[in-house]
PDB file of all heavy atoms in Angstrom:
ATOM      1  N   LEU O 464      -9.945  44.980  -7.531  1.00 87.00           N
ATOM      2  CA  LEU O 464      -9.565  46.366  -7.680  1.00 87.00           C
ATOM      3  C   LEU O 464     -10.362  47.038  -8.830  1.00 87.00           C
ATOM      4  O   LEU O 464     -10.724  48.162  -8.787  1.00 87.00           O
ATOM      5  CB  LEU O 464      -8.073  46.376  -7.996  1.00 87.00           C
ATOM      6  CG  LEU O 464      -7.171  46.244  -6.780  1.00 87.00           C
ATOM      7  CD1 LEU O 464      -5.715  46.087  -7.293  1.00 87.00           C
ATOM      8  CD2 LEU O 464      -7.227  47.520  -5.950  1.00 87.00           C
ATOM      9  N   LYS O 465     -10.605  46.223  -9.891  1.00 83.00           N
ATOM     10  CA  LYS O 465     -11.082  46.814 -11.165  1.00 83.00           C
ATOM     11  C   LYS O 465     -12.507  47.118 -10.964  1.00 83.00           C
ATOM     12  O   LYS O 465     -13.066  48.163 -11.372  1.00 83.00           O
ATOM     13  CB  LYS O 465     -10.910  45.806 -12.304  1.00 83.00           C
ATOM     14  CG  LYS O 465     -11.402  46.392 -13.681  1.00 83.00           C
ATOM     15  CD  LYS O 465     -11.178  45.310 -14.802  1.00 83.00           C
ATOM     16  CE  LYS O 465     -11.621  45.885 -16.148  1.00 83.00           C
ATOM     17  NZ  LYS O 465     -10.894  47.135 -16.572  1.00 83.00           N
ATOM     18  N   MET O 466     -13.260  46.231 -10.375  1.00 82.00           N
ATOM     19  CA  MET O 466     -14.715  46.319 -10.203  1.00 82.00           C
ATOM     20  C   MET O 466     -15.187  47.023  -8.956  1.00 82.00           C
ATOM     21  O   MET O 466     -16.219  47.632  -8.926  1.00 82.00           O
ATOM     22  CB  MET O 466     -15.326  44.889 -10.373  1.00 82.00           C
ATOM     23  CG  MET O 466     -15.157  44.210 -11.560  1.00 82.00           C
ATOM     24  SD  MET O 466     -16.114  42.765 -11.795  1.00 82.00           S
ATOM     25  CE  MET O 466     -15.724  42.215 -13.445  1.00 82.00           C
ATOM     26  N   PHE O 467     -14.421  46.920  -7.814  1.00 85.00           N
ATOM     27  CA  PHE O 467     -14.934  47.405  -6.513  1.00 85.00           C
ATOM     28  C   PHE O 467     -14.049  48.388  -5.871  1.00 85.00           C
ATOM     29  O   PHE O 467     -14.256  48.882  -4.768  1.00 85.00           O
ATOM     30  CB  PHE O 467     -15.179  46.156  -5.623  1.00 85.00           C
ATOM     31  CG  PHE O 467     -16.219  45.192  -6.241  1.00 85.00           C
ATOM     32  CD1 PHE O 467     -15.735  43.981  -6.737  1.00 85.00           C
ATOM     33  CD2 PHE O 467     -17.599  45.451  -6.229  1.00 85.00           C
ATOM     34  CE1 PHE O 467     -16.512  43.109  -7.245  1.00 85.00           C
ATOM     35  CE2 PHE O 467     -18.435  44.565  -6.821  1.00 85.00           C
ATOM     36  CZ  PHE O 467     -17.925  43.378  -7.299  1.00 85.00           C
ATOM     37  N   GLN O 468     -12.751  48.574  -6.558  1.00 88.00           N
ATOM     38  CA  GLN O 468     -11.728  49.418  -5.851  1.00 88.00           C
ATOM     39  C   GLN O 468     -11.440  49.004  -4.484  1.00 88.00           C
ATOM     40  O   GLN O 468     -11.298  49.813  -3.536  1.00 88.00           O
ATOM     41  CB  GLN O 468     -12.186  50.877  -5.892  1.00 88.00           C
ATOM     42  CG  GLN O 468     -12.338  51.558  -7.319  1.00 88.00           C
ATOM     43  CD  GLN O 468     -13.574  51.076  -8.037  1.00 88.00           C
ATOM     44  OE1 GLN O 468     -14.661  51.175  -7.463  1.00 88.00           O
ATOM     45  NE2 GLN O 468     -13.427  50.553  -9.262  1.00 88.00           N
ATOM     46  N   MET O 469     -11.272  47.694  -4.264  1.00 90.00           N
ATOM     47  CA  MET O 469     -10.962  47.139  -2.904  1.00 90.00           C
ATOM     48  C   MET O 469      -9.730  46.334  -3.084  1.00 90.00           C
ATOM     49  O   MET O 469      -9.654  45.255  -3.677  1.00 90.00           O
ATOM     50  CB  MET O 469     -12.077  46.207  -2.470  1.00 90.00           C
ATOM     51  CG  MET O 469     -13.423  46.899  -2.329  1.00 90.00           C
ATOM     52  SD  MET O 469     -14.850  45.644  -1.995  1.00 90.00           S
ATOM     53  CE  MET O 469     -14.283  45.034  -0.415  1.00 90.00           C
ATOM     54  N   PRO O 470      -8.645  46.912  -2.444  1.00 91.00           N
ATOM     55  CA  PRO O 470      -7.394  46.137  -2.386  1.00 91.00           C
ATOM     56  C   PRO O 470      -7.523  44.925  -1.462  1.00 91.00           C
ATOM     57  O   PRO O 470      -8.259  44.883  -0.637  1.00 91.00           O
ATOM     58  CB  PRO O 470      -6.386  47.144  -1.833  1.00 91.00           C
ATOM     59  CG  PRO O 470      -7.096  48.464  -1.837  1.00 91.00           C
ATOM     60  CD  PRO O 470      -8.424  48.196  -1.693  1.00 91.00           C
ATOM     61  N   VAL O 471      -6.657  43.877  -1.756  1.00 92.00           N
ATOM     62  CA  VAL O 471      -6.692  42.629  -0.955  1.00 92.00           C
ATOM     63  C   VAL O 471      -5.361  42.737  -0.148  1.00 92.00           C
ATOM     64  O   VAL O 471      -4.248  42.765  -0.718  1.00 92.00           O
ATOM     65  CB  VAL O 471      -6.685  41.444  -1.879  1.00 92.00           C
ATOM     66  CG1 VAL O 471      -6.602  40.140  -0.913  1.00 92.00           C
ATOM     67  CG2 VAL O 471      -8.050  41.281  -2.721  1.00 92.00           C
ATOM     68  N   ILE O 472      -5.491  42.694   1.150  1.00 91.00           N
ATOM     69  CA  ILE O 472      -4.326  42.665   2.092  1.00 91.00           C
ATOM     70  C   ILE O 472      -4.191  41.332   2.747  1.00 91.00           C
ATOM     71  O   ILE O 472      -5.154  40.888   3.399  1.00 91.00           O
ATOM     72  CB  ILE O 472      -4.490  43.791   3.161  1.00 91.00           C
ATOM     73  CG1 ILE O 472      -4.840  45.158   2.610  1.00 91.00           C
ATOM     74  CG2 ILE O 472      -3.225  43.870   3.993  1.00 91.00           C
ATOM     75  CD1 ILE O 472      -3.835  45.615   1.572  1.00 91.00           C
ATOM     76  N   GLU O 473      -3.031  40.653   2.511  1.00 91.00           N
ATOM     77  CA  GLU O 473      -2.937  39.423   3.148  1.00 91.00           C
ATOM     78  C   GLU O 473      -2.471  39.606   4.646  1.00 91.00           C
ATOM     79  O   GLU O 473      -1.356  40.205   4.862  1.00 91.00           O
ATOM     80  CB  GLU O 473      -1.746  38.610   2.399  1.00 91.00           C
ATOM     81  CG  GLU O 473      -2.158  38.079   1.079  1.00 91.00           C
ATOM     82  CD  GLU O 473      -1.017  37.281   0.420  1.00 91.00           C
ATOM     83  OE1 GLU O 473      -0.181  37.916  -0.212  1.00 91.00           O
ATOM     84  OE2 GLU O 473      -0.968  36.029   0.587  1.00 91.00           O
ATOM     85  N   ILE O 474      -3.138  39.084   5.496  1.00 90.00           N
ATOM     86  CA  ILE O 474      -2.946  39.209   6.963  1.00 90.00           C
ATOM     87  C   ILE O 474      -1.978  37.941   7.287  1.00 90.00           C
ATOM     88  O   ILE O 474      -2.358  36.744   7.059  1.00 90.00           O
ATOM     89  CB  ILE O 474      -4.247  39.171   7.834  1.00 90.00           C
ATOM     90  CG1 ILE O 474      -5.090  40.230   7.279  1.00 90.00           C
ATOM     91  CG2 ILE O 474      -3.745  39.463   9.289  1.00 90.00           C
ATOM     92  CD1 ILE O 474      -4.622  41.540   7.221  1.00 90.00           C
ATOM     93  N   PRO O 475      -0.894  38.205   7.947  1.00 89.00           N
ATOM     94  CA  PRO O 475      -0.081  37.038   8.353  1.00 89.00           C
ATOM     95  C   PRO O 475      -0.613  36.182   9.374  1.00 89.00           C
ATOM     96  O   PRO O 475      -1.588  36.616  10.153  1.00 89.00           O
ATOM     97  CB  PRO O 475       1.226  37.772   8.945  1.00 89.00           C
ATOM     98  CG  PRO O 475       0.758  39.134   9.367  1.00 89.00           C
ATOM     99  CD  PRO O 475      -0.300  39.520   8.306  1.00 89.00           C
TER     100      PRO O 475
END
Side-chain angles (χ1 to χ4, degrees):
L464 279 171
K465 184 177 182 63
M466 294 188 179
F467 306 100
Q468 293 76 52
M469 297 170 67
V471 178
I472 309 297
E473 289 182 273
I474 310 300

